[in-house]
Amino acid sequence: MPLRNQDDMYKRRKRRTAKNNIFRTLFFTATTVGLIVLAMLIYRVLSQGTGSLSWDFIRNFAAPYPDEAGLLAGIVGSLYLMGIVAIFSIVVGVSTAIYLEEYAKKGKLTTFIQMNIQNLAGVPSVVFGLLGLTFFVYVLDFGYSLLTGGLTMSLLVLPIIVVSSQEALRSVPSELKEASAAMGASKWQTIFRVVLPAALPGMITGSILALSRAIGETAPLLVVGAATAIYSLPDSVVDSYTVMPIQIYSWISKPGDEWPLLAAAGIIILLIFLLIMNTIAVLIRNKFQRRY
Amino acid sequence: MSTIAKPIVKKQSEEKTIEKDSVFGVSNLNLWYGTDQALYDIHMDIYKNEITAIIGPSGCGKSTFLKTLNRMVEMVPIVKTSGTIKYNDENIFDPKYSVEDLRTRVGMVFQKPNPFPKSIYDNVAYGPRIHGIKNKKDLDTIVEKSLKDAALWDEVKDRLHENAYGLSGGQQQRLCIARCLAIEPDVILMDEPTSALDPISTMKVEELVQNLREKYSIVIVTHNMQQAARISDKTAFFLNGELVEFTETDQLFSNPADKRTEDYITGRFG
């Protein structure tokens, strides 16, 4: 038996372990590429932006001069926008997920809807901008308002919320649903009292991650007419508005050495918001994580 | 324990032969999962205040049959049935028959203990609550009574508001029985309730089932022939989706009428 031959076995083992080492190095390098790029980005942003960070930067509106300009309109606009997106997309998204997971009969139509929702999640965001422009601005005549922006953004993140909520619902063990149904509970009672409490952490996590995608999106809002510079806060949902990424975008494209630094400072604020939201998502997931 | 219980079983069933009330009358029951037929032409009467055991090898349709009695089998969307099951003279397959009502009167205990990720109290109060009982005092009474009937009260009375997942497997199963008793069903269906439990927990559940006989009609699916012999009044033997034999437990185990029953209970297969 060749397997028994000590020399051969030694050689073969050497070759096998060598191969393993090559692949390990390959995968490790791939991982590092991502990490290094991320680290470089963060370093660049921090080194450029920290100089411009101050309370005034957060308190001021946009201004013709870099040292007077601030992100206030963007921060408040982003928060308002998130409010609209949260209300609309979570209500509609979670309801859709509940219908598809719990009520809809599994058939060709459901599979078709399901497939389309997943595809929708991959549609470029600017396409949603065009949809918003056609439907909300022209058909419904909402104008270039906060409401238009919010609803457009809601459509953008809706598929993400539907899919993540469906996953959360699906992870609820069927034994629990059976236990409830076997006691004569109606479908809705089972959903409301057993399924939703168990799926809620997953749904909240998914929703927050969807919102943090929405807070960083620029393209669709440019299409539906978010302002680049604005000197007052929106009083109602039909007012014009701006958001952080759009202010940052407009600063980057301005001539002069100081504007990009301001943009970097804006990015830091945006990153802080993202970090806070993602941390909340992780905390919720850890706190309510249940083993069944 | 079984030797003490046996004579009582006999006495009860002898009395019952004179005036038997059936709770379930199953006739011509066929059931398909998609195109696979799982139950063939079942005829069977299940009597009040008796323990009916269903035995048979894996895949013989015994659990399917049990779940048909409270229509839980319909949780699998591809299930089709034909024939009738009369529960107190009403056909449960009638489109007008409310499956919620049926399951309120026919409770179920599952193979794997499946308490909700809630407190012990909330687990037992779940059933009464979904049926509209909100009064705290009423709920307290029901919870205490159900836990006492399920022989769990003494073990949990000081920690009613702790999570049910902190209980042992055997305690969880008795909690599930208590949860089932809390909706005051007439019939309790048990789907191999002790198969996930250790011998001592099994013994406790068996004792409990014996005691429940006075107030409830019990149908219990079991993998364990000794268990069927120990606790049941009547035993049904299922094989490949057919009801082979259904008679008094003593008779089935001592003098089976069908060759296949004999082969199974003597351990020639299964």
Side-chain angles (χ1 to χ4, degrees), chain A:
Chain A
M1 280 288 282
L3 254 178
R4 288 269 171 83
N5 184 319
Q6 283 296 323
D7 273 0
D8 276 5
M9 216 166 89
Y10 176 72
K11 264 189 229 155
R12 262 202 300 268
R13 202 209 60 217
K14 260 197 122 175
R15 214 178 315 140
R16 286 189 294 138
T17 44
K19 227 182 217 171
N20 178 45
N21 287 337
I22 292 170
F23 278 107
R24 208 185 63 139
T25 320
L26 206 70
F27 297 143
F28 177 74
T29 320
T31 314
T32 358
V33 169
L35 286 179
I36 289 173
V37 172
L38 184 68
M40 270 162 53
L41 263 174
I42 291 176
Y43 171 75
R44 219 177 104 88
V45 167
L46 285 182
S47 62
Q48 288 190 344
T50 34
S52 313
L53 277 183
S54 66
W55 286 117
D56 279 343
F57 180 69
I58 297 172
R59 276 196 297 248
N60 286 357
F61 285 108
Y65 305 105
D67 48 348
E68 288 169 18
L71 198 60
L72 180 66
I75 295 172
V76 174
S78 281
L79 290 178
Y80 282 173
L81 196 80
M82 282 310 102
I84 295 176
V85 175
I87 291 167
F88 185 78
S89 65
I90 293 176
V91 169
V92 177
V94 169
S95 306
T96 308
I98 292 175
Y99 177 74
L100 287 175
E101 265 324 290
E102 304 292 331
Y103 284 104
K105 288 214 169 70
K106 303 280 174 276
K108 280 192 181 130
L109 183 69
T110 323
T111 318
F112 180 74
I113 294 174
Q114 186 70 53
M115 225 167 64
N116 276 292
I117 289 173
Q118 266 151 13
N119 286 339
L120 229 47
V123 170
S125 57
V126 70
V127 177
F128 280 96
L130 291 172
L131 176 72
L133 184 70
T134 319
F135 191 65
F136 298 125
V137 179
Y138 295 139
V139 176
L140 296 182
D141 204 18
F142 289 164
Y144 296 131
S145 63
L146 193 56
L147 187 62
T148 300
L151 292 178
T152 307
M153 211 54 117
S154 299
L155 292 182
L156 176 73
V157 299
L158 198 56
I160 308 175
I161 292 185
V162 173
V163 171
S164 65
S165 300
Q166 275 187 295
E167 267 159 27
L169 289 169
R170 228 173 287 147
S171 72
V172 178
S174 58
E175 288 92 34
L176 297 182
K177 297 183 204 174
E178 283 171 12
S180 172
M183 275 185 286
S186 70
K187 192 115 199 182
W188 168 242
Q189 285 178 317
T190 302
I191 293 170
F192 186 70
R193 288 163 186 262
V194 176
V195 180
L196 281 184
L200 207 58
M203 287 178 162
I204 295 173
T205 310
S207 301
I208 293 177
L209 293 181
L211 288 183
S212 62
R213 158 131 196 237
I215 206 172
E217 274 291 344
T218 325
L221 293 182
L222 285 173
V223 179
V224 296
T228 46
I230 205 159
Y231 304 98
S232 66
L233 298 178
D235 285 329
S236 75
V237 290
V238 291
D239 275 357
S240 55
Y241 65 103
T242 189
V243 291
M244 284 187 267
I246 288 193
Q247 278 205 296
I248 294 166
Y249 174 75
S250 76
W251 285 336
I252 287 177
S253 40
K254 277 189 182 178
D257 291 340
E258 283 181 56
W259 289 108
L261 302 183
L262 214 58
I267 292 172
I268 294 174
I269 303 284
L270 185 58
L271 283 178
I272 289 172
F273 271 88
L274 280 172
L275 206 64
I276 290 171
M277 287 167 80
N278 289 359
T279 312
I280 292 173
V282 170
L283 286 180
I284 288 173
R285 191 163 47 199
N286 290 350
K287 177 152 199 264
F288 293 98
Q289 209 164 39
R290 284 200 182 107
R291 268 173 281 125
Y292 294 101

Side-chain angles (χ1 to χ4, degrees), chain A residues 106 174-187 189-190 193-194 197-198 290-292, chain B residues 70 72 75 100 103-104 106-108 110 112 114-118 126-127 129-131 165 179 183:
Chain A
K106 303 280 174 276
S174 58
E175 288 92 34
L176 297 182
K177 297 183 204 174
E178 283 171 12
S180 172
M183 275 185 286
S186 70
K187 192 115 199 182
Q189 285 178 317
T190 302
R193 288 163 186 262
V194 176
R290 284 200 182 107
R291 268 173 281 125
Y292 294 101
Chain B
N70 65 348
M72 281 298 283
M75 298 282 276
E100 284 85 4
R103 290 173 187 163
T104 308
V106 182
M108 186 164 208
F110 294 81
K112 220 180 92 194
N114 58 353
F116 299 121
K118 301 172 188 278
Y126 183 85
R129 277 182 179 142
I130 59 172
H131 291 104
Y165 284 22
R179 186 175 65 180
I183 55 170

Side-chain angles (χ1 to χ4, degrees), chain B:
Chain B
M1 182 213 107
S2 59
T3 45
I4 306 165
K6 264 283 176 55
I8 306 167
V9 174
K10 225 171 180 179
K11 211 174 125 200
Q12 271 205 348
S13 46
E14 271 166 9
E15 281 170 3
K16 283 270 152 60
T17 43
I18 311 159
E19 31 156 349
K20 274 193 272 196
D21 290 333
S22 80
V23 276
F24 278 113
V26 181
S27 45
N28 291 317
L29 177 69
N30 286 283
L31 184 141
W32 294 264
Y33 288 109
T35 51
D36 297 331
Q37 188 160 7
L39 294 176
Y40 295 86
D41 206 25
I42 310 282
H43 290 264
M44 189 170 169
D45 279 322
I46 291 165
Y47 297 102
K48 214 170 194 169
N49 296 86
E50 284 194 346
I51 299 176
T52 306
I54 301 178
I55 58 168
S58 301
C60 70
K62 53 189 193 303
S63 283
T64 299
F65 174 73
L66 188 78
K67 286 180 181 161
T68 314
L69 294 177
N70 65 348
R71 289 179 54 185
M72 281 298 283
V73 76
E74 290 167 19
M75 298 282 276
V76 182
I78 53 169
V79 160
K80 275 180 302 192
T81 50
S82 74
T84 54
I85 297 181
K86 290 211 161 155
Y87 172 68
N88 292 336
D89 290 327
E90 282 181 277
N91 183 8
I92 63 167
F93 292 133
D94 193 314
K96 274 179 273 173
Y97 199 94
S98 146
V99 65
E100 284 85 4
D101 281 352
L102 176 69
R103 290 173 187 163
T104 308
R105 284 180 278 170
V106 182
M108 186 164 208
V109 176
F110 294 81
Q111 181 169 2
K112 220 180 92 194
N114 58 353
F116 299 121
K118 301 172 188 278
S119 71
I120 295 167
Y121 183 97
D122 287 340
N123 261 281
V124 184
Y126 183 85
R129 277 182 179 142
I130 59 172
H131 291 104
I133 296 175
K134 291 197 183 98
N135 185 303
K136 178 88 171 63
K137 262 192 190 145
D138 292 348
L139 286 174
D140 286 350
T141 317
I142 295 172
V143 169
E144 181 172 344
K145 187 175 178 309
S146 307
L147 285 170
K148 276 180 175 160
D149 286 349
L152 191 61
W153 175 253
D154 290 333
E155 291 161 62
V156 301
K157 64 180 176 211
D158 299 324
R159 47 172 174 151
L160 287 176
H161 295 283
E162 283 173 32
N163 196 301
Y165 284 22
L167 298 174
S168 74
Q171 288 173 324
Q172 286 189 11
Q173 193 61 304
R174 276 179 287 146
L175 177 65
C176 292
I177 295 175
R179 186 175 65 180
C180 176
L181 298 179
I183 55 170
E184 297 179 359
D186 297 325
V187 185
I188 302 174
L189 308 176
M190 297 185 162
D191 188 4
E192 301 193 33
T194 61
S195 68
L197 306 183
D198 63 88
I200 291 173
S201 303
T202 300
M203 200 182 77
K204 282 188 180 162
V205 171
E206 280 185 17
E207 263 173 48
L208 172 59
V209 172
Q210 296 270 23
N211 295 333
L212 292 175
R213 176 208 274 119
E214 288 168 26
K215 286 190 224 159
Y216 307 92
S217 315
I218 295 169
V219 186
I220 179 168
V221 163
T222 174
H223 216 82
N224 180 332
M225 282 182 274
Q226 284 75 31
Q227 183 171 65
R230 275 196 299 266
I231 65 174
S232 69
D233 301 297
K234 287 205 173 59
T235 299
F237 171 58
F238 274 67
L239 185 66
N240 299 329
E242 284 177 68
L243 175 58
V244 174
E245 192 165 349
F246 177 43
T247 183
E248 306 290 325
T249 299
D250 287 354
Q251 198 188 329
L252 187 124
F253 283 103
S254 60
N255 190 17
D258 197 290
K259 180 78 172 57
R260 288 170 292 176
T261 315
E262 192 186 334
D263 286 350
Y264 183 69
I265 60 173
T266 52
R268 233 161 272 170
F269 74 95

